[in-house]
Amino acid sequence: MLEYYQNVLKEFISEYERLHVNPWHNIAKEELENLCKELINKYEIDDGYKFNYFMNYIIKRLNGMDDAHTKFKMRTVILPFNYRIFDEEVVVNYPDGLKGSTLESINEVSVSNILNELDDVITYGTSEKKRYELEKSLFDMSLLFSLPSLRESEELIFEFKTISGEIEKRTIDKRDAMTSDEQFDIEEYYYGDTGTYEIKDNTLIYRHCSVQNEYKDIIEESVNEIRSLDFNNISKIIVDLRGNIGGNSGLNKPLLDFLSEHKDKKLVVLTDYRVFSSGSIALYDLIKIGCTTVGEGIGAPFNSYGEQVWLDIGKYRFAVSTCYFIPGMDMKISNKEDIEKIDSEVFKPVIFKPDYYVKSTKEDFINNKDKVLEFALKNI
């Protein structure tokens, strides 16, 4: 390993041990040191791609299934594709001309092998979060070029099978910089259209798909708008939480306060595999005020590590979890002494299961059919 990367690793481990509320919750420090030595002997870590793989591999072992907030980030190029995964199929969402096609291989390596290699370096606490992380990883050029089967390549050749069964190929050179007309809207991909609403069949449908700080004004203004609606003919309120990957949990409060004033209505919340972090805190609080849940499982247990601190080390960014959240006990533990006193039973994952499990399929996706919303409108 080059000296530069050794120094970055050393500083990260030092800061991680200092900042993390429970740094060795999944792996002992000595075991981690042995793992690092093993990887350094196995791979020649002499460029950023290999270091990317190395750090993500290490952080996955630090995190285990309990911490999905401690992370490594390097600058990357976002590829001009994004996907939805249904069971074992990787289905194209963007670009529109390929929508519904399946990704078959990259550089003649089967997509199943690519997903297995990615599974070695992504962190997740639920199968739903695994799906989300795999989807994101497939448009991350730096991560793809870091994989053992692709790291010696100078280009990525994507092979797609279209809905009609034809094969199409797209090639991305390692030195390419995507132009703006090729790229998809990454903000829309991550954060959706939070704060929008509509009234349909005597039902208010409100989208709460992000609580990032930049949406603070939008959230507050939209909640104030719906407060002024005439609720005489509204019998149901549906909160569409799908895609809420978190942000600032304080931005859940305007919506929660509003819904607490309308407990006489049927309250419903829609969930999916992309609900995570402050999104899962919102879900927990929505359930407490009486919401019926419809949809799929979410991307994290209710109890988990979080509240990241971001660090710049060399040219890389790291996030470290500084707290452990236990919503069922209304607790946030932020120091090492207190966490050592907690009974081990508290750390068993509390997994969310919706009241009505409604799974979206590949066919629903291709046909733009929202089965989850349809169920909530017709059956609750």
Side-chain angles (χ1 to χ4, degrees):
M1 177 185 278
L2 294 180
E3 183 179 359
Y4 176 79
Y5 299 129
Q6 289 177 348
N7 292 337
V8 172
L9 172 64
K10 183 178 179 181
E11 186 174 347
F12 165 69
I13 295 299
S14 175
E15 288 296 287
Y16 172 80
E17 188 170 30
R18 180 178 70 87
L19 292 168
H20 199 288
V21 67
N22 191 14
W24 310 114
H25 64 96
N26 188 63
I27 185 173
K29 186 175 182 180
E30 182 179 353
E31 188 180 350
L32 177 74
E33 290 170 349
N34 291 334
L35 178 60
C36 288
K37 290 175 184 175
E38 179 185 324
L39 286 175
I40 290 168
N41 289 331
K42 184 177 180 181
Y43 298 113
E44 186 177 357
I45 302 168
D46 56 2
D47 66 28
Y49 296 108
K50 294 171 186 174
F51 186 64
N52 187 8
Y53 181 88
F54 173 86
M55 283 308 315
N56 279 300
Y57 191 97
I58 292 300
I59 286 175
K60 181 182 175 79
R61 276 73 194 167
L62 285 173
N63 287 343
M65 302 290 283
D66 302 319
D67 182 1
H69 282 89
T70 295
K71 296 179 180 179
F72 167 80
K73 277 194 173 183
M74 68 177 286
R75 291 182 64 184
T76 190
V77 171
I78 302 300
L79 295 170
F81 316 111
N82 67 57
Y83 311 88
R84 292 287 184 262
I85 295 177
F86 297 94
D87 298 320
E88 301 301 314
E89 285 192 290
V90 177
V91 183
V92 178
N93 178 54
Y94 180 94
D96 291 340
L98 282 173
K99 186 166 182 177
S101 303
T102 54
L103 177 63
E104 299 295 303
S105 66
I106 304 176
N107 292 11
E108 298 185 343
V109 180
S110 72
V111 72
S112 60
N113 285 343
I114 296 292
L115 295 179
N116 286 336
E117 289 189 6
L118 286 169
D119 195 11
D120 270 340
V121 291
I122 60 170
T123 297
Y124 51 87
T126 66
S127 59
E128 289 83 5
K129 186 66 161 47
K130 175 181 176 180
R131 176 185 175 190
Y132 176 68
E133 290 296 330
L134 287 172
E135 289 178 353
K136 286 197 308 173
S137 298
L138 287 167
F139 61 69
D140 183 333
M141 178 189 276
S142 295
L143 189 55
L144 289 179
F145 273 120
S146 81
L147 297 179
S149 65
L150 302 175
R151 63 174 54 147
E152 302 302 327
S153 305
E154 292 300 316
E155 62 185 13
L156 299 175
I157 303 171
F158 295 81
E159 182 176 294
F160 302 97
K161 182 184 287 186
T162 68
I163 293 175
S164 63
E166 297 175 351
I167 297 297
E168 288 200 23
K169 293 184 179 182
R170 303 287 175 91
T171 300
I172 305 291
D173 190 277
K174 186 180 278 188
R175 296 173 294 277
D176 279 354
M178 299 299 109
T179 60
S180 58
D181 61 333
E182 292 177 298
Q183 292 176 324
F184 58 92
D185 187 332
I186 194 70
E187 294 288 320
E188 182 181 349
Y189 175 87
Y190 280 130
Y191 309 129
D193 52 357
T194 198
T196 61
Y197 63 89
E198 62 181 305
I199 296 174
K200 184 177 181 180
D201 299 335
N202 298 322
T203 299
L204 170 64
I205 304 165
Y206 179 83
R207 294 175 184 87
H208 190 63
C209 45
S210 179
V211 284
Q212 297 291 312
N213 283 323
E214 57 262 42
Y215 294 100
K216 179 177 183 292
D217 291 344
I218 291 173
I219 292 168
E220 291 176 349
E221 290 169 8
S222 63
V223 171
N224 285 334
E225 282 183 28
I226 60 176
R227 280 184 186 278
S228 65
L229 297 174
D230 181 357
F231 279 83
N232 289 327
N233 294 319
I234 294 175
S235 58
K236 186 190 305 181
I237 302 173
I238 295 176
V239 176
D240 192 346
L241 198 63
R242 293 174 296 179
N244 192 322
I245 61 172
N248 178 357
S249 58
L251 297 182
N252 293 322
K253 189 174 186 302
L255 176 63
L256 293 166
D257 288 345
F258 163 76
L259 292 173
S260 295
E261 299 165 8
H262 292 280
K263 290 184 179 180
D264 57 318
K265 310 295 183 183
K266 293 179 182 177
L267 303 179
V268 183
V269 59
L270 310 184
T271 63
D272 75 354
Y273 65 104
R274 298 169 296 158
V275 175
F276 177 65
S277 190
S278 295
S280 63
I281 292 174
L283 175 60
Y284 190 88
D285 290 335
L286 288 165
I287 292 170
K288 281 205 302 185
I289 64 174
C291 285
T292 299
T293 56
V294 179
E296 301 176 63
I298 64 172
F302 281 128
N303 52 331
S304 62
Y305 293 94
E307 203 156 292
Q308 298 163 315
V309 169
W310 284 93
L311 307 168
D312 292 307
I313 303 176
K315 59 186 176 182
Y316 301 108
R317 297 207 80 200
F318 295 84
V320 177
S321 295
T322 62
C323 294
Y324 187 74
F325 293 93
I326 315 171
M329 300 171 65
D330 198 25
M331 289 179 67
K332 181 178 86 169
I333 304 170
S334 55
N335 68 73
K336 293 176 173 63
E337 292 75 21
D338 286 346
I339 208 161
E340 288 175 358
K341 300 171 186 175
I342 298 296
D343 190 280
S344 60
E345 287 293 310
V346 171
F347 294 99
K348 289 185 177 179
V350 179
I351 303 297
F352 163 75
K353 293 183 179 180
D355 297 316
Y356 296 92
Y357 180 77
V358 182
K359 181 179 180 180
S360 296
T361 65
K362 173 186 171 183
E363 288 68 31
D364 297 330
F365 168 73
I366 291 172
N367 295 311
N368 294 313
K369 181 178 181 180
D370 193 341
K371 186 189 295 183
V372 178
L373 178 58
E374 288 180 8
F375 183 95
L377 286 168
K378 295 177 182 177
N379 298 288
I380 298 176

